Amino acid sequence: MTISEMIFADACKVIPGGVNSPVRSFQAVGMQPMIVASGSGDLICDVDGREFIDYCGSWGQLILGHAEPRVVRATQQQIEKGSSFGIATKIEGELARKIVELIPSVEKLRFVSSGTEATMTALRIARGYTGRQKIVKFIGHYHGHSDSLLVQAGSGVSALNVEATSKGVNASAIADTICLPFNDIGAVRSFLRSGNGEKIAAVIVEPIAGNMGVVLPEKGFLEMLREETALAGALLIFDEVITGFRVALGGAQGFFGIDPDMTCFGKIIGGGFPAAAVGGKAKIMDVLAPIGQVYQAGTLSGNPVAMCAGLETLRQLEVEGFYQRLEEKTKRLVLPIEKALEKIPGCIQRCGSMFTLFFGVKQVRNKEDLKSIDEAKFRRFFKALFERGIYIPPASSEAWFVSAAHTDERLDFTANVICSLLRDGI
Ligand code: HOZ
């Protein structure tokens, strides 16, 4: 038995499935997870001393790579001054101002600790602000694990049952959640126009889906959402937990030029620590207590260590040419693979440094298309990469991420390994 196997077996006795988040269990790839001991730059190392080039990057959080020296230093300095106070600090205002400066649709924001909290709070704010109950989400989109948003969700939820809805979700939450197909302009427009629009508090969307693999919005889809929600008096919420500061400094909304009413952030804004936020127009955000009557709170919200890590990360992203360099790195990896994919059924869907390689299909536009992907091939592919020291997210419909720490040498090595696997057949 490897040390990873022994630790995992012990963990299974005290942690359900041995993991604190289901996709980490490697169930989707029919393997046992490695137990990670450390990370540095583009590498992670497990307790058995095996090294992996990491394309998961803590699910997109680590845009600068593992243990980035300046982030480490900033957080160490804060920890020496105290790691949590449960009271206002200067640093949270600084990070809030930085986000407001970079994302024009956000005038005020509140920090929470996870993407789940951010989207859950966004819905509560939308209901409090509009006085309406129902929300619209898209089939296969994943916005964390609050009740209303687990309905027909993506990521690990898709593996549960045909409805992809978790057991234990309140029936009234299901009844109040309307699920529509992503990228279907006609279906969304006719739903919102046929007398339903005025019952909808909010439409929540991943502007670039990242939890059913990377699926880009088709031309006009986000524009239609902006137009129709405004007509219906419903709020438009962008879940930018993955895309925020990933695809561009202005997030997906900057990339596509659409101003949502509210935005949820997570991952990158915590710089490797648990931090997330919900933000939007001041008049909407001011429904939150203590100004308004929508309640939300959290001891670790705005945690100073996470705020330091987030601020230091955003400062580095602001450096001229950062996103251009990241794009070049990603192309260095992706372009040879795309060439190899011309000869076999499969495709890469990408925006900036986030992408997914799908087997068995030439295009994925929505959840329906995922039914045709070749899961068995993905499992063989994952295992082959793993054995060669390359770690990608352990499920076929997740996003892969390139970080600023990925070296050209490791990107080329990865591209060569993948191209030869595709060429030789897996
Ligand atoms: N929500 C993540 C997948 N899209 C998984 C998070 C985790 O397992 O840490």
Side-chain angles (χ1 to χ4, degrees):
M1 251 187 151
T2 63
I3 303 175
S4 277
E5 282 165 349
M6 285 190 291
I7 293 179
F8 186 63
D10 280 346
C12 286
K13 295 177 195 152
V14 286
I15 298 174
V19 288
N20 288 307
S21 190
V23 243
R24 298 180 197 175
S25 68
F26 282 31
Q27 213 172 57
V29 287
M31 290 168 59
Q32 284 215 358
M34 78 290 211
I35 303 294
V36 175
S38 62
S40 173
D42 54 357
L43 292 177
I44 47 177
C45 186
D46 79 355
V47 288
D48 292 287
R50 294 178 294 186
E51 258 182 5
F52 300 88
I53 309 173
D54 182 16
Y55 293 99
C56 185
S58 190
W59 304 94
Q61 196 186 22
L62 300 174
I63 194 164
L64 303 177
H66 293 271
E68 198 284 327
R70 276 178 288 174
V71 174
V72 171
R73 211 170 313 122
T75 50
Q76 278 172 339
Q77 280 167 2
Q78 179 57 50
I79 290 170
E80 280 166 16
K81 292 190 266 175
S83 60
S84 181
F85 306 109
I87 196 141
T89 58
K90 184 165 169 253
I91 183 84
E92 59 194 349
E94 288 176 36
L95 181 57
R97 268 190 298 282
K98 176 63 68 194
I99 296 172
V100 165
E101 182 190 313
L102 296 173
I103 311 284
S105 75
V106 173
E107 293 169 355
K108 283 191 178 181
L109 60 93
R110 175 153 293 175
F111 288 112
V112 289
S113 299
S114 70
T116 293
E117 273 187 85
T119 53
M120 177 183 78
T121 305
L123 295 190
R124 192 176 305 140
I125 293 172
R127 288 184 166 124
Y129 181 78
T130 61
R132 301 171 179 184
Q133 278 308 300
K134 294 197 182 293
I135 59 132
V136 168
K137 76 176 279 293
F138 293 94
I139 304 166
H141 283 206
Y142 178 76
H143 307 280
H145 62 92
S146 65
D147 275 5
S148 335
L149 291 168
L150 276 178
V151 187
Q152 295 198 48
S155 190
V157 197
S158 336
L160 291 180
N161 52 50
V162 276
E163 288 297 311
T165 301
S166 163
K167 280 212 169 140
V169 168
N170 205 316
S172 61
I174 298 179
D176 281 338
T177 304
I178 291 113
C179 299
L180 297 176
F182 186 54
N183 272 332
D184 191 335
I185 295 182
V188 180
R189 184 166 268 153
S190 72
F191 174 82
L192 288 173
R193 289 212 180 169
S194 51
N196 299 303
E198 67 254 29
K199 299 191 193 101
I200 305 298
V203 173
I204 184 165
V205 65
E206 290 181 78
I208 299 167
N211 289 287
M212 53 179 187
V214 172
V215 181
L216 278 99
E218 283 179 5
K219 202 169 168 353
F221 185 74
L222 297 176
E223 289 78 358
M224 174 277 299
L225 288 185
R226 181 61 288 179
E227 198 182 306
E228 294 297 331
T229 46
L231 264 176
L235 301 183
L236 178 61
I237 304 171
F238 272 13
D239 176 348
E240 294 231 44
V241 168
I242 294 180
T243 55
F245 306 104
R246 165 59 65 178
V247 295
L249 198 54
Q253 55 195 271
F255 190 84
F256 293 113
I258 309 278
D259 269 4
D261 299 300
M262 269 195 279
T263 305
C264 302
F265 299 99
K267 314 242 189 231
I268 289 175
I269 68 159
F273 288 80
V278 50
K281 310 265 175 277
K283 65 175 186 215
I284 299 171
M285 294 304 294
D286 282 345
V287 301
L288 278 175
I291 301 178
Q293 296 208 322
V294 173
Y295 204 76
Q296 177 283 331
T299 299
L300 286 161
S301 297
N303 174 267
V305 183
M307 298 291 104
C308 277
L311 190 58
E312 177 54 41
T313 300
L314 294 193
R315 284 190 180 133
Q316 294 195 38
L317 304 187
E318 282 185 292
V319 172
E320 178 85 32
F322 177 89
Y323 285 93
Q324 200 186 327
R325 285 191 293 277
L326 194 56
E327 171 85 15
E328 279 157 16
K329 278 182 189 290
T330 314
K331 280 189 174 156
R332 190 173 182 115
L333 170 66
V334 158
L335 294 184
I337 306 174
E338 281 179 336
K339 188 109 197 76
L341 280 169
E342 282 169 9
K343 297 196 187 84
I344 62 162
C347 63
I348 283 186
Q349 298 195 164
R350 176 177 82 89
C351 186
S353 56
M354 63 186 270
F355 66 93
T356 301
L357 194 173
F358 295 100
F359 286 110
V361 288
K362 280 292 173 199
Q363 197 194 13
V364 176
R365 294 180 58 239
N366 52 41
K367 183 76 198 301
E368 199 52 31
D369 294 336
L370 286 181
K371 289 184 180 154
S372 316
I373 66 172
D374 191 340
E375 287 289 350
K377 193 165 190 166
F378 177 80
R379 280 195 289 275
R380 293 194 298 275
F381 178 68
F382 177 88
K383 189 161 186 283
L385 292 184
F386 193 82
E387 283 163 355
R388 289 160 179 79
I390 297 167
Y391 178 64
I392 61 169
S396 60
S397 308
E398 297 284 356
W400 310 20
F401 300 94
V402 172
S403 76
H406 279 92
T407 64
D408 287 353
E409 193 194 349
R410 296 207 179 96
L411 292 166
D412 291 347
F413 171 76
T414 309
N416 287 337
V417 168
I418 294 180
C419 288
S420 63
L421 286 173
L422 297 180
R423 222 177 14 248
D424 303 342
I426 338 144

